[in-house]
Amino acid sequence: MARTSTHDRKLKVYAFDPGVGRQLRYSRLNEIVVSIPHEMEASKRIGAPKSLGRGPIGEYIEVVDYDPSSGLFYPPIDLNDYVATNGLSPSEANPQFHQQMVYAVSMTTIAAFEEALGRVALWSPKQTRDSSGNFENEEYVGQLRIYPHALREANAYYSPRKKALLFGFFAAGSDQPSLAPGSIVFTCLSHDIIAHETTHALLDGMHARFAEATNMDVLALHEAIADIVALFQHFSHPEVLYDQIARSRGDLESESMLGQLAQEFGRALGRGHALRDAIGGISSDGKWKRSVADRSKFKKAKRPHERGAILVAAVFDAYLAIYSSRTGDLFRIATNGTGVLPPGALLPDLVKRLADEAAKSAKHLLRMCIRALDYCPPVDVRFGDYLRATVTADYDLFPEDEYNYRTAIIEAFVAWGIVPDGMRTVSAETLLWPSLDELIDDISIGGEDEGLTLSEGVGTLIENPAAILEWIGRHAKVPDKVIHSLTEIATQIRDQMAIKEDTRISSSTSRSAEKSDVQHWLTQNLLNLGLEADRHVEWLAQRFYAQIFWAFLTSVPNRQLVETLGLTLDPTIAKSITRSASIGSALPALSVQSVRMATRKGSRDQLEREYVVEVVQKRHGYFDTAKQLEVDSNGKHRSEPADFSFRRGCTLLIDARTFKIRRVIRTRGDVTSDGELGRMRDYLVGRTSAPDNALFSRGIRPEDTTDFAALHRSAGGEQ
């Protein structure tokens, strides 16, 4: 699964940020070398060079070093000139090192996601709109732009609209002890901040609806995952672990550089006290002490950063418990069973073994946190859902839980009060998302299970896109425009793959020859290419398969299955629910928002592949309940803009070999749920009436107003 190559590009970066290097005890640790797989740099874009360009510019990232406040472009670095020296040495004063720093850390973050999920990373597409502002089309975005010196302010953020990371720089204040007042602080030199913002962009590419604040947890989860990735990436560097374990004599709970850094994380940006309070602090004796889990903090936390910090603290607690469990035998051996270490420094061999166990624990826990993102509901996600996702994703790969990772996660989450709503018994068994068979049993369908599965015959078709097109043309009762759309996407895939193979398609090709040519390029399951996929082809393939799954799910034989999944095609339901323009104007619309392949290596080194299919339905929501009733009952005011969109749906995990639906991950309630609609209305009204709210205003849809710049800037009020 992991990319390995003797030709990986190695680059020097700050392990933390320049400020850490100014502390004598950490000065040796702050410069490290990271590796970027060579194949992640080779660009597959049309007309682009096959190696890393000046900027740096590669397959995933384009660094544009423009300072708008002065109107200057800084000369771009050519990393190919510094292969022998592993890039430039860390420097606060050299803009070209700043370019190297953002590129290297962003690429290592992308690589961590790809290794955990077994597929290439994609950025969210650019959406185009017509003159009336209505959605018109989506365009592939190959590269995320990074601006190291974009802002003269204490901020750094991901811009979904610009598909870019923007980093600020500013003069230090008197409250930063490691800096002289007036010194320039560059956020693009903070390892944590770069990884944090890159994670926001990766999450947006996976889950566009996770940026819609439909409850208190959604944006908090975005922030928490970004912090978890940023903080735990440090443990992939053995030299940092080795020194920390030697310094603390193996006890990461009594003194943890990670914990202390978490206290300081984002201080320069005014991120506030959230992580400092949740993870730990300096006690009366002047030593760092880990915070004790406190459920009341979670109940009181309302803002995204402070609420997200609780989730980070729970994962951090789980990590320390796992480390303690994995190293217990080493301490028993080292102390002859007494558990009391002799005075003095630990033996180097023991330190190395402890560091190895700490690194393994951190890497597995980070992979758990990333893999869980495929096991979440497609919209309105909550922390309890994320706990279930983490446990289920790990169980499906490692049923035996040899090192009790899931036990540690559950214990930590429960201690902080993070549990699924309404779940009476929280355990490794009850937290697992249900299979389709379990759902059928729960709703007492009994033996009438015909039509409650996607047939293996369909699975065979899925493996061969060309056969799908032929089958739909002969058998499926789908609208002509759907067939046209599928053919158009298939042609785009053909063109992109032809360009990749450096072949040319003649513009004079006959219609029949063109059809044959499309079939030639579509004789394999394009989602099954994993890390070998061309990213543009992968994006097109995901769109292609989304329409295929839509055609299967909305077909008459699968209507009962749709109802079982928590969706509805009942024409008599509320008229505020969006109707279909494709399967009959009276039927509720059903949108397959994403189809992607997850490829993971299991406990026996077997590869497990499954389709991750996200299906969503939408209802128009109104703050005025009387107006809501009118629209629900007779469709009056239906043509007027809604105050918000109420979405519900499910995520399906489908075995790629048997085509059996292994997991069904449903949202709380379906699109007909008036109770959940009312809950969301109350939440939005409460948010929009708050005087310090930087994100929403009454009557504006949350999906149009999520602003990470404002989200990060507003966190300064948490001081």
Side-chain angles (χ1 to χ4, degrees), residues 3 36-42 58-60 103 107 110-111 114:
R3 291 185 173 110
I36 300 168
H38 172 72
E39 55 268 39
M40 291 185 71
E41 291 190 338
E59 173 63 17
Y60 297 76
Y103 175 78
M107 289 298 292
I110 295 166
E114 291 195 340

Side-chain angles (χ1 to χ4, degrees), residues 78-106:
D78 188 343
L79 291 175
N80 299 311
D81 293 340
Y82 302 96
V83 173
T85 59
N86 295 333
L88 293 170
S89 295
S91 168
E92 291 182 71
N94 187 347
Q96 290 192 320
F97 172 73
H98 297 194
Q99 299 162 16
Q100 174 180 307
M101 178 80 182
V102 294
Y103 175 78
V105 176
S106 293

Side-chain angles (χ1 to χ4, degrees), residues 251-273:
D251 184 3
L252 292 182
E253 295 199 32
S254 64
E255 179 185 0
S256 172
M257 186 176 183
L258 177 65
Q260 293 183 65
L261 285 166
Q263 299 174 64
E264 303 301 323
F265 185 70
R267 177 190 286 270
L269 297 179
R271 284 275 303 277
H273 62 260

